């Protein structure tokens, strides 16, 4: 079983990479189980927006500022608030989908040790700052997160692979496709 964790600054292309990996592997008959570390944060974001009488029109929308704060406070209250449920979901996926590729597309520095201990290979997705800002604006982020926030700290580990997303979508798909070829073998 392959386990891949994507990381990079907001707007680098982690979600697009996850989508390409999922589609390309599915076309080869390989199932991908996408497991997001920050799922509890996304649930809390949806609840807060609903309570504020501003329900999210699209679940992919992100309030980076809110997510930064929620991540900090949830980890303060319980350091395993994100990693505990993630470990449970990974172990469950290992039992139920032993032939699948497990894919995490939202790895952050505070969760690195847990993800490595679960056997995930790390893939860094990078893009220039101006391009990342433009992408976040285009996807309709509700508020930008702080790239200097502790949850956005650079990972201090050498990745298994690096994928540069400085070009167009075709170039990026080609680069991600090389990773797909490795995962098939």
């Amino acid at each position: 079983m392959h386990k891949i964790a994507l990381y990079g600054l907001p707007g680098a292309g982690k979600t697009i990479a996850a989508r390409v990996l999922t589609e390309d592997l599915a076309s080869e008959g390989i199932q991908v189980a996408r497991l997001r570390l920050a799922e509890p944060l996304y649930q809390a974001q949806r609840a807060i927006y609903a309570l504020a009488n501003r329900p999210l029109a699209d679940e992919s929308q992100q309030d980076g500022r809110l997510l930064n704060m929620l991540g900090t406070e949830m980890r303060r209250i319980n350091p395993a608030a994100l990693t505990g449920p993630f470990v449970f979901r990974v172990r469950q996926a290992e039992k139920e989908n032993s032939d699948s590729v497990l894919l995490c597309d939202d790895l952050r520095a505070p969760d690195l040790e847990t993800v490595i201990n679960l056997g995930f290979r790390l893939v860094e997705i990078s893009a220039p700052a101006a391009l990342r800002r433009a992408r976040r604006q285009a996807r309709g982020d509700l508020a930008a997160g702080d790239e200097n926030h502790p949850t956005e700290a650079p990972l201090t580990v050498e990745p298994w692979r690096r994928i540069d997303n400085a070009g167009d979508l075709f170039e990026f798909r080609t680069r991600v496709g090389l990773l797909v070829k490795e995962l098939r073998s």
Side-chain angles (χ1 to χ4, degrees):
M1 170 176 273
H2 292 288
K3 299 177 196 171
I4 304 297
L6 307 177
Y7 70 93
L9 289 171
K14 299 178 297 291
T15 301
I16 301 278
R19 189 175 309 129
V20 171
L21 282 166
T22 301
E23 290 169 0
D24 288 1
L25 288 168
S27 73
E28 302 282 334
I30 300 169
Q31 183 180 7
V32 175
R34 183 175 172 206
L35 305 170
R36 300 185 321 172
L37 257 159
E39 187 57 40
L41 299 180
Y42 303 131
Q43 291 172 359
Q45 173 187 257
R46 287 190 296 273
I48 288 169
Y49 267 80
L51 289 168
N53 204 23
R54 297 285 189 252
L56 298 175
D58 179 356
E59 291 201 9
S60 68
Q61 287 182 299
Q62 294 184 13
D63 183 329
R65 193 166 82 190
L66 178 61
L67 291 169
N68 284 160
M69 185 275 301
L70 288 170
T72 298
E73 293 306 311
M74 287 181 75
R75 287 182 180 98
R76 178 187 60 80
I77 294 165
N78 175 4
L82 302 181
T83 56
F86 182 74
V87 169
F88 177 79
R89 290 191 318 271
V90 167
R91 296 297 183 219
Q92 190 174 16
E94 288 172 336
K95 289 177 189 172
E96 296 172 2
N97 307 309
S98 61
D99 296 342
S100 297
V101 171
L102 299 186
L103 179 61
C104 169
D105 70 351
D106 62 354
L107 174 61
R108 298 291 189 268
D111 310 312
L112 177 63
E113 185 177 337
T114 297
V115 170
I116 288 173
N117 289 340
L118 288 167
F120 280 79
R121 293 185 197 177
L122 308 181
V123 176
E124 180 181 26
I125 309 293
S126 63
L131 187 53
R132 288 186 293 100
R133 268 191 306 278
R135 288 178 180 152
R136 287 194 325 257
Q137 288 173 342
R139 75 179 180 203
D141 280 2
L142 301 163
D146 179 0
E147 290 189 3
N148 296 314
H149 192 272
T151 58
E152 301 298 346
L155 272 63
T156 56
V157 65
E158 187 67 24
W160 174 60
R161 297 289 179 265
R162 285 189 170 95
I163 301 176
D164 178 30
N165 188 12
D168 62 25
L169 184 57
F170 178 79
E171 290 175 64
F172 187 53
R173 284 189 75 95
T174 301
R175 290 181 180 122
V176 173
L178 296 174
L179 181 60
V180 169
K181 286 180 185 176
E182 285 189 70
L183 295 174
R184 284 191 313 227
S185 55

